[in-house]
Amino acid sequence: MSASSLPLTPIVPDSRGQGYGAALVLGSAVVWSFGGTLARFLTIEDGWTVVFWRSLFAALFLLGFMLVRDGPRGTVQLFKGMGLAGVAVGVCFTVASTSFILALAYTTVANVVLIQAGVPLIAALMAWLLFREKIAVHTWIAIAAVIGGVAIMVSESLGGSVSMMGDALAILIAFAFATATIITRRFAHVRMTPAVFLGTVIACLTAASQASGFAVTAGELGILVVFGALNFGLGLALFVTGARLIPSALAALLGTAETVLGPLWVAVIHGEIPGLRTVIGGLIVLAALLCYLGVELWRQRRA
């Protein structure tokens, strides 16, 4: 899950709060970066079974997080206040989290993570198409570079190196996150912790209706607990807490740690080396994102 997916409008009280928020967002990126590595430890053939258990443990973690942080009454108020915007973000997270697991059965972790890196730029393009939000020249250049980089990566599936289905699911993840980004920006006053909890619940129920079975070994269950509660749930909790304390460009910039570390962990631990086109296309996407976010961060600091 990319930490650049929900660049919230920042509420910046002081430099100390910014440092705390930056640490939380960076922590979420590091936690999320182990997603592909954990998935590769699982030998469960039915991806829907993985989605079910991962979503279930993430939902339990997020519910416990809200109850501890906000108390029972505060948690109820959070759900009442999220409105239709929160429901929409929850649906986006359902699509993204489910597609993430299913995509890993068809393509490499590098393809999935690197395509997700373009989420902030895809969101900018969607905002321009839907709401005619003004896009700066440097953003257009970055968008063009991301499209080119993703095209190079996807071309590897045309040659049979990886599955076109996997790359299509990775692109779906990016668009789901981009949609969540736009909604969150439009409703920046809404706390999105209950929204991501709702997303995990919907994903869990959807997977329950599609899974061929729920039986897993004790070892697999342990991995699924870590995969759901810590990798997914803790990552979401860290991000939605920290992202409101720092500028959106900084949140997205720190989120690129997942893009860099995700393929690295899988390559080192599982020996899954991405193909040449994936490396070239991914470097183009990452360079475009870093340049774009660097300019945005500089503009926000000036403002």
Side-chain angles (χ1 to χ4, degrees):
M1 296 298 134
S2 175
S4 61
S5 59
L6 290 175
L8 306 178
T9 299
I11 301 174
V12 186
D14 51 39
S15 58
R16 184 177 179 181
Q18 288 193 54
Y20 177 65
L24 291 176
V25 172
L26 180 60
S28 71
V30 173
V31 168
W32 275 331
S33 70
F34 286 96
T37 301
L38 289 170
R40 289 293 185 253
F41 280 116
L42 296 170
T43 57
I44 302 171
E45 294 185 2
D46 188 356
W48 288 108
T49 302
V50 178
V51 173
F52 170 80
W53 287 110
R54 184 185 188 230
S55 301
L56 175 63
F57 290 126
L60 292 174
F61 180 91
L62 288 168
L63 181 60
F65 172 79
M66 287 185 289
L67 289 172
V68 171
R69 186 190 63 181
D70 303 295
R73 183 174 298 179
T75 300
V76 172
Q77 292 302 317
L78 285 177
F79 279 101
K80 289 182 178 179
M82 72 176 185
L84 291 177
V87 174
V89 169
V91 172
C92 289
F93 265 93
T94 299
V95 173
S97 61
T98 302
S99 299
F100 176 76
I101 300 299
L102 299 180
L104 292 177
Y106 296 98
T107 190
T108 64
V109 173
N111 275 44
V112 175
V113 174
L114 290 169
I115 288 175
Q116 286 184 68
V119 165
L121 297 173
I122 295 174
L125 181 59
M126 290 177 65
W128 175 74
L129 291 173
L130 295 174
F131 306 109
R132 292 301 172 185
E133 290 187 4
K134 184 179 180 181
I135 296 182
V137 175
H138 72 279
T139 306
W140 278 117
I141 295 173
I143 288 172
V146 166
I147 292 174
V150 170
I152 293 173
M153 294 172 64
V154 173
S155 70
E156 199 162 44
S157 63
L158 298 177
S161 300
V162 292
S163 168
M164 176 64 78
M165 174 64 73
D167 284 345
L169 287 169
I171 293 174
L172 178 60
I173 296 169
F175 274 94
F177 272 133
T179 303
T181 298
I182 293 173
I183 296 172
T184 304
R185 285 175 177 169
R186 293 265 163 180
F187 299 89
H189 60 285
V190 178
R191 296 274 292 277
M192 288 301 175
T193 311
V196 294
F197 167 79
L198 177 63
T200 60
V201 171
I202 297 175
C204 182
L205 295 176
T206 302
S209 67
Q210 299 296 318
S212 58
F214 305 104
V216 294
T217 66
E220 289 171 337
L221 186 62
I223 295 174
L224 287 167
V225 170
V226 176
F227 199 16
L230 300 182
N231 172 255
F232 192 22
L234 177 60
L236 288 171
L238 290 173
F239 183 75
V240 297
T241 304
R244 298 181 65 84
L245 301 175
I246 60 177
S248 58
L250 178 57
L253 184 61
L254 293 170
T256 59
E258 180 193 4
T259 307
V260 176
L261 294 175
L264 178 62
W265 301 143
V266 179
V268 171
I269 297 174
H270 296 286
E272 183 178 291
I273 309 299
L276 179 60
R277 293 181 187 179
T278 295
V279 173
I280 294 174
L283 288 175
I284 292 174
V285 171
L286 190 57
L289 180 63
L290 290 174
C291 291
Y292 163 75
L293 294 175
V295 173
E296 285 298 306
L297 185 58
W298 174 74
R299 292 175 63 183
Q300 287 187 19
R301 286 189 176 278
R302 285 191 63 187

